[in-house]
DNA sequence: GTGGTCTAGACCACA
DNA sequence: GTGGTCTAGACCACA
């Protein structure tokens, strides 16, 4: 089941997308597993079916899931798309924060040690 | 002088804010230095004065600059605010990307080595 | 026996149609050969009889097979229909991709060489 | 101006997408050129603004255009995305038709000569 | 019952 | 004025 935050600034359709990607990336959902139908999921998380449809369409266009009229939606048998998406996203986020640090005049060492610090904090927190 | 990129998706007011912060953080602008007036800067970079005003107000609220009615704006004598802002921002960006990687099932080692890789790429590129 | 791919986005009735056409075109099924009954085939490939019926009806309409009430269906004695269908389909697919390339500003030479490249790739792959 | 076919089976949002891509690929629209606003285009082609929005969003996600709140939408300064999309699309269409011909028992020579024939027909037609 | 498209209309952020 | 999100509801194809 997905956890939607209705107060977050992140669009609902993106939250759905990300959580499904995460479930697949972590193996909770596996290739060819069935996803809840658009209407079912919409009911479950009290959201408009159009919004779920939008998330599913986007995931299909990216090759993460496959949707078929009359039959439903399921995880793509091929996981390569999702791997590529994650690496691409994380790389661009890293690039962004590194650029930010450079603009703040931070040395390579400083950004490196800040990263290590935050990584440890996050690791122990969980 | 600031470089505004109209083709960027980042809001104009944020671009102004960030560039002023960056000028201060890297020592190009120093404590108590005068900033151009809202109207002057708006004219210089061909932008709506409201947009510049919004950037200045935000910077003042954060304690980065000080505005005095009738006299103009100058860099805050105290640089601690801007340091705090950068550290806070960078930390939250790092936390975000680390969380993203965790949701993708990446190990601590993997995210660490991806960070190193991207950092080296960015460093050599410049 | 037909191979139905439930993970494909192509409708099931079309998969059945195409495979029967392919069996005939390649000589695996010959003129006047009997086809399994709608119910038999539906059972064999675990599919709704309506879906098989739809495929058979469409094939009959096109003159590829002949169905006789109470006796079943068999491959049309005349193979010209299926030849025409394939040529028509392939031509229209070729026309479509050529139009697409034209809209992208590709020269005749470029589309020609791209076709050759892909054709060689596919040929060696099999 | 775009030419929308309301009777076509192809979704309206896709028609918009394709035509904008084509205008860019053929140089009618150039990097950084402004596109009509979502509402303006919707009015021009008598279509719901949501449908135009959907096309624009999709184009932005693919890196073909850039959209900015409050400022409008324009052709991405970088044309590499659109080149990649076209090559990928055309290749997959070619692959599809070649596979189809193979299933029909066509030899490499036959599909090759059919392609040449259709290409010439299309070329002289225009 | 599935997925998918489209319209109509409200509402928000940015300039 | 821009772009962008979301809901509500109609309608279609496929199984």
């Amino acid at each position: 089941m997905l956890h939607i935050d209705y107060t977050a600034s992140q669009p609902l359709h993106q939250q759905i997308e990300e959580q499904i990607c995460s479930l697949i990336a972590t193996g909770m959902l596996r290739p060819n597993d069935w996803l809840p139908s658009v209407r079912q999921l919409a009911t479950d998380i009290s959201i408009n079916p159009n919004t779920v449809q939008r998330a599913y369409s986007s995931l299909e266009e990216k090759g993460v899931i496959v949707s078929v009229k009359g039959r439903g939606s399921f995880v793509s048998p091929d996981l390569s798309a999702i791997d590529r998406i994650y690496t691409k996203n994380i790389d661009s986020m890293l690039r962004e924060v590194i650029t930010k640090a450079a603009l703040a005049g931070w040395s390579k060492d400083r950004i490196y040690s800040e990263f290590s610090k935050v990584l440890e904090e996050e690791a122990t927190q969980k």
Side-chain angles (χ1 to χ4, degrees), chain A:
Chain A
M1 178 53 88
L2 309 185
H3 302 288
I4 299 300
D5 178 0
Y6 302 91
T7 73
S9 68
Q10 191 185 28
L12 302 180
H13 68 90
Q14 257 180 39
Q15 293 186 37
I16 297 169
E17 256 196 79
E18 288 198 356
Q19 292 188 31
I20 290 176
C21 280
S22 179
L23 289 172
I24 298 171
T26 57
M28 304 284 284
L29 282 174
R30 315 192 51 168
N32 297 313
D33 275 1
W34 288 93
L35 295 168
S37 80
V38 169
R39 287 157 172 86
Q40 184 60 51
L41 182 54
T43 305
D44 288 351
I45 59 183
S46 314
I47 229 175
N48 190 291
N50 280 329
T51 303
V52 176
Q53 180 70 259
R54 179 169 179 182
Y56 275 29
S57 296
S58 174
L59 287 169
E60 177 162 39
E61 206 161 275
K62 291 174 183 160
V64 174
I65 71 172
V66 178
S67 291
V68 192
K69 275 183 197 167
R71 280 188 277 146
S73 306
F74 47 90
V75 178
S76 166
D78 172 18
L79 289 182
S80 66
I82 205 168
D83 274 353
R84 252 181 291 118
I85 291 172
Y86 267 112
T87 306
K88 199 177 131 197
N89 276 352
I90 288 171
D91 276 16
S92 87
M93 289 170 84
L94 288 172
R95 221 163 267 125
E96 205 185 329
V97 65
I98 287 166
T99 304
K100 180 92 181 178
L103 288 173
W106 287 27
S107 70
K108 218 170 99 175
D109 279 355
R110 180 162 178 199
I111 167 74
Y112 210 91
S113 76
E114 193 73 17
F115 174 80
S116 304
K117 195 193 81 185
V118 175
L119 183 57
E120 290 308 323
E121 279 171 19
E122 291 293 305
T124 57
Q125 202 181 76
K126 286 161 190 173

